[in-house]
Amino acid sequence: RELGVRLRRALIVFAIVFIILWLPMPDYHSHNVTQAIIGFFTMEYYPIIAYVFKHYILNLVYSSVSSVKCASGYVAITNGTTQPIGIISTTVLGPFVFSVELSIVIALLVTIPVLIYDVYQYVKPALYPHELRAVRRYVWAAAVLFYAGVFIGYYLVFPAFLRISLFWSCLFGFVHLLTTSGFLNTFIATLFFAGFLFETPVIIALLTQTGLITPDALSRNRPYIYFGVLFVIAIINPDPTLVSTLLWFIMFIALFEAGYLWSKNIYKKMPKT
């Protein structure tokens, strides 16, 4: 019953964030309240999620690809200026579905810390002191690394994918148009893939703490681990190209080596039998 109550709290936070994203964006220059209310009920209004997308995602996209010179010309017009990339909807309700899915992702990212905290409070009374210290160390480290991965995916990896894709489109003279579903699927997959990839050091440290692996085993099997991870990345990569696969793999190597150093430090402090 307690777990159900705590999970409902996280669900309520998720619902609140989702609803906030669909409220009308405050317009300080217009005083026509009646028109705003009517637009809200007819679904012809300017929601906050549209503002978030245009100013924090679309602007990031345009600023990232603006340095790529397109031989085929510019295709998207935004705020009276041309842009080298465009996003189109191929279905009647495509923009609405796009808004709903993007709102769900943002609400989920905001809700994850609340969910982690409620689950932590639920299991806390059942843990021994040493287990509680381990949970505090690894759970919060995992949360911080996850958001660090999302941050890297948002500011570095996803723009890099777009620049590479646009460069090769321009090289062959293609018009670079993305569908709403294709754009959003790649965007979401990149954020969460980067977030989970950044959990590598925590996973290695946790396995070392539980005695399932040792730093020596990691060192001996490093080539096999690298090959296996490269194979997995090539399969589940959100943008399955050679360049993006190598980019993810280089990122994994850095994270693996950081986890290896953390594993050595943990193993050194463990009691030997």
Side-chain angles (χ1 to χ4, degrees), residues 22-34:
W22 279 82
L23 293 177
M25 184 66 193
D27 187 358
Y28 302 103
H29 304 287
S30 175
H31 303 283
N32 195 341
V33 180
T34 304

Side-chain angles (χ1 to χ4, degrees), residues 117-191:
Y117 177 77
D118 277 328
V119 173
Y120 167 75
Q121 290 294 328
Y122 173 73
V123 302
K124 182 179 177 180
L127 300 178
Y128 291 105
H130 69 281
E131 293 174 333
L132 188 59
R133 288 193 298 269
V135 167
R136 286 173 177 170
R137 183 187 306 123
Y138 295 119
V139 168
W140 300 116
V144 171
L145 285 174
F146 175 79
Y147 281 102
V150 171
F151 181 85
I152 295 296
Y154 175 78
Y155 279 105
L156 296 179
V157 180
F158 186 67
F161 287 170
L162 290 176
R163 284 196 299 270
I164 295 170
S165 178
L166 181 60
F167 172 80
W168 284 95
S169 293
C170 295
L171 191 65
F172 286 92
F174 300 151
V175 175
H176 202 80
L177 294 174
L178 305 173
T179 63
T180 52
S181 60
F183 176 87
L184 187 60
N185 290 341
T186 304
F187 179 72
I188 295 173
T190 300
L191 295 190

Side-chain angles (χ1 to χ4, degrees), residues 22-160:
W22 279 82
L23 293 177
M25 184 66 193
D27 187 358
Y28 302 103
H29 304 287
S30 175
H31 303 283
N32 195 341
V33 180
T34 304
Q35 183 178 355
I37 295 176
I38 295 175
F40 178 76
F41 285 102
T42 60
M43 297 301 291
E44 297 177 356
Y45 70 104
Y46 188 41
I48 294 177
I49 184 61
Y51 177 86
V52 171
F53 173 73
K54 291 178 65 176
H55 288 78
Y56 293 99
I57 299 178
L58 204 58
N59 281 351
L60 174 69
V61 170
Y62 289 153
S63 62
S64 301
V65 302
S66 59
S67 59
V68 181
K69 303 301 181 183
C70 286
S72 60
Y74 291 80
V75 297
I77 300 178
T78 304
N79 298 328
T81 61
T82 56
Q83 302 292 347
I85 193 171
I87 302 175
I88 62 173
S89 175
T90 57
T91 59
V92 175
L93 295 179
F96 180 77
V97 175
F98 179 90
S99 303
V100 172
E101 292 179 349
L102 184 60
S103 301
I104 291 174
V105 172
I106 295 176
L108 181 61
L109 290 174
V110 174
T111 309
I112 285 176
V114 179
L115 181 62
I116 292 176
Y117 177 77
D118 277 328
V119 173
Y120 167 75
Q121 290 294 328
Y122 173 73
V123 302
K124 182 179 177 180
L127 300 178
Y128 291 105
H130 69 281
E131 293 174 333
L132 188 59
R133 288 193 298 269
V135 167
R136 286 173 177 170
R137 183 187 306 123
Y138 295 119
V139 168
W140 300 116
V144 171
L145 285 174
F146 175 79
Y147 281 102
V150 171
F151 181 85
I152 295 296
Y154 175 78
Y155 279 105
L156 296 179
V157 180
F158 186 67

Side-chain angles (χ1 to χ4, degrees), residues 202-220:
V202 174
I203 294 173
I204 293 175
L206 187 59
L207 293 176
T208 304
Q209 186 77 52
T210 56
L212 295 178
I213 60 174
T214 63
D216 183 61
L218 289 174
S219 179
R220 288 197 318 268

Side-chain angles (χ1 to χ4, degrees), residues 138 141 145 148 197-206 208 213 215 218-219 222 225-226 249-267:
Y138 295 119
L145 285 174
L197 187 66
F198 266 65
E199 300 297 310
T200 302
V202 174
I203 294 173
I204 293 175
L206 187 59
T208 304
I213 60 174
L218 289 174
S219 179
R222 184 184 276 114
I225 295 173
Y226 283 172
F249 183 60
I250 292 172
M251 195 180 303
F252 169 79
I253 291 176
L255 294 168
F256 177 84
E257 295 301 328
Y260 173 70
L261 295 177
W262 193 0
S263 174
K264 289 179 65 176
N265 184 57
I266 293 174
Y267 190 74

